[in-house]
Each structure stands twice: as structure tokens, then as C-alpha cells.
């Protein structure tokens, strides 16, 4: 059997098992692309799976099929679906009003909790991590008087135009597929390879970089871990050249209740986290050190009054505040992370066992695990792209779906929640083992 034969077979299996999803997808003409948000079509299935409900680490579709969910909404539901604590808090707040465009007493409590947990001194709330990253980029430029930012090839920091640049054969360019962008982002954004210390030093030595915006571990082009010493060198070089260091921990929050930076002793100037911070209620927070806050005040005084262009009406609303408070005090606890981290270790051990002898590897940070179809963990996006076999990825994802397992649709990322049980991990490992058996047949 060839790989294409295998994919065709799996598509037939999927179609037969999902008549209700198929019927609903055929009636979705009001939605462009057939779905409310086009990423919902990025799964390997020939038509979207229509969800009925989800609880804990299990999602059930309209055809009555229950899935072990290792995608968890691509992180917003990292702590599990339908958490009773969050449901009660949200329902209670909805009965009192969801948005006042005014602070409430709980706002002060949430601010203090954020300072205590993540080590930044002042905070703001945004509706998404995209909004938060836009805000910190704007502030970094205002503070430093510099136009350029630096990002790493393969990054994704939300729907932020400045970050849609990549290296193609070593040449910085706007990302392919970028819709409606009339500006050449490479004029104000420098892009280099992750883990390339020489390129980083050369770029910062120009003295024109306002900020480096990065994840401590790259997670959006496949997981790429930093080389030993790279993050500390990044911190030191930013300090030496007057460049602000911004860490986007929207995905690496899965590493520790305090995030990757605090857990690993890395001290950014600005910090962003979204998705799971409010348990899936649309929200993000961004924080700054006291020194950066003072420089923001100075910049604001220089600029003078008027519209800053930063902030949206829904940001920091009462419902979001209640959700963030619930997550920080009742859900994102150390015992929850102990379960998540132990589960990830258990998953890695199982995957390493069943892929032995294949040119595949696992990459692991915190509660996030990736199966990479490469013999060694790639060190940058260019290396990762060499192993992105889209047909193989489609075959793998569709096979898992047909076995009742969901992982993130964009690559092979798997996330462990506090409610993920050992039996579910065993079923995932068994499914990977079965796929590995088929791979040996058609490779």
C-alpha cells in the first residue's frame, strides 16, 4: 500500500463514521469556507468535525464519537474543558453584568496575583495575545525611539503584521500567503534563525532594534528548544544593546504555573500570555518591569495627549477578570501542573518506545510534547521545514482521528491537561504505534 492509498482509505473510514458532521458541513454555506473561523478547516479530515460538547480531556462530536483530546482548543482549554470552577464563576458574573468599562474591586486582586506569579510589576489586559503583542511592540518603539523589531524565523505571535516575515533560502521576506498586506514588513522587522547567536549579536549590534519578540521555546513551526545558554545570551545581548526583551508565553505557560521564564530564571522586560490565562474566555495579559513602566510614562509625556491606538472596549471586562481570577486561584495550581508534567513524561517515554528504529524523535517542554518526523530535534525553522512532509502529516492526523484521538492540527503537538488520564495517554501511544506499523509498510 502506498501513502496515498493509505490516506484514501482513512478518508473513507472518516466519512462513513461522520454522517452528521458531513450533513452539517454541507449546510454551512453562510460561513466563508464553511466554518466560522477558517482555521477550523485546517484539520486533516475531508470536512470539519462538528463538536457537540466537551468535558475534562474528552470531546464528543455530533456523531456520538468521543475523542481523547490532546489539542484542547490549541491551548485555550489547556486546563480541561467545562471546568466546574470556571463555569460557576462565569455564570455568577454574567448575572451581575459582563462589561462596565470600569474596574471593579476584583481587578486589584487580579493585578496583585499577576505580579506575584509572573514577576512583572505592572499589567494590562487585552482580548487576545495578538492584541497584547501589538501593544508591547508599539510601546517598545515609543520607549526606545527605534523602528525595528526582531523575531525568529518560524515564529507566530498572533495576527500581528510585524511578525509575518520569514527566511526563504536565507533571505528575509514577507511570509508567503500573506493576504492584503501592502507594506514590506522586512523594512521594520529583522528576522533571523532561532539559536543563531552570531546572527543575533550582529543584528542587535546595529543599535536599531527596539525589541526582540520571542517564545522561550518555539512552538508554532514545530517545537524547537533553545540551545543551552541561548536564552541567557539573548537576555545579555538585549541589555548590552539597549533592546527590550519581550517573551510571549502563550504556549509555554504549559511549562510551569509561573511560566517558563520564571521557572528558568529568565527575566524579560515585557511579558505576554494569552489563550489559557482565562480558561478559554478570550483574554490575554501583558506585563512590564518597573523600569519599563517608568520609561512608558516618560514616552507618554513626550507624545502628549490624544488617542494612543492601544486598547479595545472589551479588554479587561468584568467577565474576563472573574475568569482570570478563577484560573489563577483555583485551576492553574501546582498540583494541576504536577499531574500535567508527569503525564507528559509518561507520554514521551511511551512515544520513544514505539518509534524506536524510525527516523522520528520527540521534543518535550513542560506539558507539551511533539512527535517530529525527523531523526534529531531541529534547531531552527529551516531545519524543521526539511522534514515537513504534508502528506505524511495528513495521514498521521487522520489516522489518529479515526482512532478517537485529537492532537493539534497544525503539526504533531500534544498537550496534557490536569484532567488527562493515564488510560488516554496509553490509547494515544497505541495509536502512534499502529501508525508506525503502517508507516513501515508504505515508506
Amino acid at each position: 500500500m502506498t501513502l496515498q492509498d493509505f490516506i484514501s482509505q482513512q478518508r473513507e473510514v472518516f466519512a462513513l463514521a461522520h454522517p452528521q458532521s458531513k450533513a452539517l458541513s454541507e449546510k454551512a454555506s453562510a460561513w466563508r469556507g464553511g466554518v466560522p473561523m477558517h482555521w477550523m478547516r485546517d484539520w486533516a479530515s475531508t470536512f470539519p468535525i462538528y463538536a457537540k460538547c466537551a468535558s475534562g480531556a474528552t470531546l464528543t462530536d455530533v456523531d456520538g464519537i468521543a475523542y481523547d483530546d490532546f489539542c484542547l482548543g490549541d491551548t485555550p482549554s489547556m486546563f480541561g474543558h467545562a471546568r466546574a470552577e470556571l463555569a460557576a464563576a462565569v455564570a455568577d458574573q454574567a448575572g451581575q453584568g459582563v462589561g462596565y468599562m470600569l474596574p471593579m474591586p476584583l481587578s486589584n486582586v487580579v493585578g496583585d496575583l499577576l505580579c506575584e506569579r509572573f514577576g512583572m510589576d505592572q499589567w494590562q489586559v487585552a482580548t487576545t495575545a495578538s492584541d497584547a503583542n501589538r501593544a508591547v511592540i508599539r510601546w517598545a518603539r515609543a520607549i526606545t525611539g527605534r523602528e525595528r523589531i526582531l523575531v525568529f524565523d518560524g515564529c507566530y505571535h498572533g495576527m500581528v503584521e510585524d511578525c509575518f516575515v520569514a527566511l526563504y533560502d536565507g533571505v528575509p521576506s514577507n511570509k508567503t500567503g500573506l493576504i492584503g498586506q501592502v507594506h514590506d514588513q522586512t523594512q521594520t522587522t529583522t528576522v533571523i534563525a532561532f539559536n543563531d547567536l552570531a546572527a543575533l549579536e550582529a543584528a542587535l549590534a546595529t543599535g536599531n532594534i527596539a525589541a526582540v519578540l520571542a517564545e522561550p521555546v518555539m512552538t508554532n513551526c514545530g517545537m524547537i528548544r533553545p540551545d543551552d545558554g541561548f536564552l541567557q545570551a539573548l537576555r545579555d545581548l538585549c541589555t548590552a544593546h539597549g533592546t527590550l526583551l519581550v517573551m510571549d508565553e502563550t504556549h509555554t505557560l504549559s511549562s510551569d504555573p509561573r511560566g517558563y521564564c520564571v521557572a528558568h530564571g529568565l527575566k524579560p522586560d515585557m511579558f505576554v500570555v494569552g489563550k489559557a490565562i482565562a480558561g478559554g474566555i478570550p483574554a490575554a495579559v501583558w506585563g512590564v518591569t518597573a523600569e519599563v513602566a517608568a520609561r512608558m510614562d516618560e514616552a507618554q509625556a513626550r507624545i502628549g495627549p490624544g488617542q494612543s491606538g492601544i486598547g479595545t472596549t472589551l479588554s479587561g471586562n468584568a467577565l474576563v477578570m472573574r475568569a482570570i481570577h478563577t484560573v489563577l486561584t483555583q485551576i492553574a495550581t501546582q498540583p494541576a501542573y504536577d499531574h500535567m508534567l508527569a503525564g507528559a513524561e509518561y507520554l514521551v517515554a511511551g512515544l520513544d518506545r514505539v518509534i524506536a528504529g524510525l527516523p522520528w524523535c520527540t521534543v518535550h517542554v513542560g506539558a507539551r510534547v511533539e512527535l517530529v518526523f525527523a531523526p534529531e530535534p531541529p534547531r531552527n525553522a529551516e531545519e524543521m521545514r526539511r522534514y515537513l512532509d504534508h502528506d505524511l502529516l495528513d495521514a498521521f492526523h487522520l489516522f489518529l482521528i479515526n482512532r478517537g484521538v485529537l492532537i493539534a492540527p497544525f503539526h504533531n503537538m500534544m498537550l496534557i491537561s490536569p484532567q488527562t488520564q493515564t488510560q488516554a495517554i496509553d490509547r494515544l501511544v497505541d495509536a502512534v504505534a499502529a501508525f508506525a506499523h503502517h508507516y513501515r509498510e508504505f515508506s
Side-chain angles (χ1 to χ4, degrees):
M1 179 182 295
T2 67
L3 177 58
Q4 292 304 321
D5 291 336
F6 181 79
I7 292 173
S8 296
Q9 179 194 73
Q10 293 301 311
R11 286 174 176 166
E12 290 178 10
V13 171
F14 176 82
L16 288 172
H18 295 83
Q20 296 301 319
S21 281
K22 187 174 188 294
L24 287 166
S25 70
E26 291 171 348
K27 298 176 181 178
S29 59
W31 297 113
R32 176 168 173 77
V35 287
M37 197 281 194
H38 69 91
W39 288 2
M40 295 176 181
R41 289 302 304 265
D42 285 347
W43 299 77
S45 55
T46 49
F47 50 83
I49 298 170
Y50 274 70
K52 180 182 179 182
C53 61
S55 179
T58 302
L59 182 146
T60 303
D61 71 15
V62 294
D63 288 289
I65 299 172
Y67 301 88
D68 294 316
D69 189 2
F70 294 90
C71 174
L72 299 168
D74 192 29
T75 300
S77 299
M78 179 174 75
F79 300 113
H81 297 288
R83 291 295 300 252
E85 308 95 326
L86 189 63
V90 166
D92 182 66
Q93 188 59 52
Q96 302 177 51
V98 298
Y100 318 133
M101 211 169 83
L102 290 168
M104 54 196 228
L106 189 66
S107 303
N108 290 358
V109 177
V110 171
D112 291 341
L113 287 170
L114 291 169
C115 290
E116 179 183 353
R117 181 170 292 222
F118 298 117
M120 297 285 110
D121 296 292
Q122 289 193 355
W123 291 87
Q124 287 280 271
V125 180
T127 304
T128 69
S130 296
D131 296 328
N133 282 320
R134 282 194 187 99
V136 297
I137 289 170
R138 294 273 297 283
W139 274 113
R141 286 170 169 157
I143 288 170
T144 63
R146 301 172 181 179
E147 292 186 352
R148 300 189 74 85
I149 64 164
L150 184 147
V151 298
F152 293 106
D153 183 30
C155 74
Y156 179 75
H157 296 286
M159 222 174 72
V160 182
E161 291 84 350
D162 302 79
C163 301
F164 277 79
V165 294
L167 293 175
Y168 298 112
D169 296 324
V171 179
S173 304
N174 284 356
K175 283 189 175 180
T176 57
L178 187 58
I179 294 173
Q181 181 53 256
V182 298
H183 300 292
D184 180 2
Q185 299 300 145
T186 64
Q187 297 302 303
T188 51
T189 300
T190 297
V191 56
I192 65 171
F194 196 62
N195 284 318
D196 189 338
L197 199 53
L200 176 65
E201 189 163 11
L204 295 184
T206 63
N208 64 358
I209 305 294
V212 173
L213 174 58
E215 296 180 285
V217 178
M218 296 196 76
T219 65
N220 282 288
C221 57
M223 282 177 55
I224 302 172
R225 296 179 60 93
D227 290 345
D228 290 345
F230 179 74
L231 292 179
Q232 188 56 53
L234 169 61
R235 171 67 278 177
D236 294 343
L237 286 168
C238 284
T239 300
H241 294 288
T243 297
L244 297 173
L245 177 58
V246 184
M247 279 291 160
D248 180 353
E249 289 229 38
T250 297
H251 279 174
T252 56
L253 181 62
S254 61
S255 299
D256 189 275
R258 305 161 298 169
Y260 185 101
C261 289
V262 174
H264 291 81
L266 183 66
K267 297 181 179 179
D269 300 298
M270 308 173 90
F271 175 94
V272 171
V273 63
K275 289 193 178 181
I277 194 66
I281 302 295
V285 294
W286 58 276
V288 300
T289 64
E291 179 184 356
V292 169
R295 295 177 69 185
M296 290 168 69
D297 292 342
E298 293 169 2
Q300 188 76 72
R302 289 195 305 271
I303 294 165
Q307 292 185 333
S308 69
I310 294 174
T312 58
T313 307
L314 293 175
S315 300
N317 65 69
L319 193 67
V320 161
M321 281 297 168
R322 192 70 179 272
I324 294 175
H325 180 263
T326 302
V327 168
L328 293 179
T329 58
Q330 300 181 53
I331 295 176
T333 63
Q334 188 60 57
Y337 273 86
D338 290 343
H339 179 94
M340 294 161 67
L341 300 179
E345 295 281 357
Y346 183 75
L347 173 58
V348 169
L351 291 176
D352 285 344
R353 182 178 68 254
V354 300
I355 67 173
L358 292 173
W360 301 347
C361 65
T362 55
V363 182
H364 165 218
V365 59
R368 198 174 291 272
V369 177
E370 176 129 13
L371 176 63
V372 183
F373 295 142
E376 299 290 338
R379 294 182 56 251
N380 55 53
E382 181 182 6
E383 291 183 10
M384 184 69 77
R385 292 185 193 110
R386 295 174 193 164
Y387 296 100
L388 289 181
D389 183 330
H390 294 288
D391 286 343
L392 183 59
L393 288 168
D394 275 356
F396 180 59
H397 282 252
L398 190 51
F399 182 79
L400 292 186
I401 288 170
N402 288 337
R403 295 281 295 246
V405 177
L406 298 179
I407 66 173
F410 307 109
H411 32 89
N412 292 339
M413 193 173 293
M414 308 158 190
L415 187 57
I416 304 295
S417 85
Q419 298 183 320
T420 303
Q421 300 302 311
T422 301
Q423 296 92 327
I425 298 173
D426 288 338
R427 287 190 291 268
L428 169 55
V429 171
D430 288 345
V432 174
F435 181 79
H437 174 76
H438 289 292
Y439 173 82
R440 290 181 173 95
E441 292 179 344
F442 55 66
S443 64

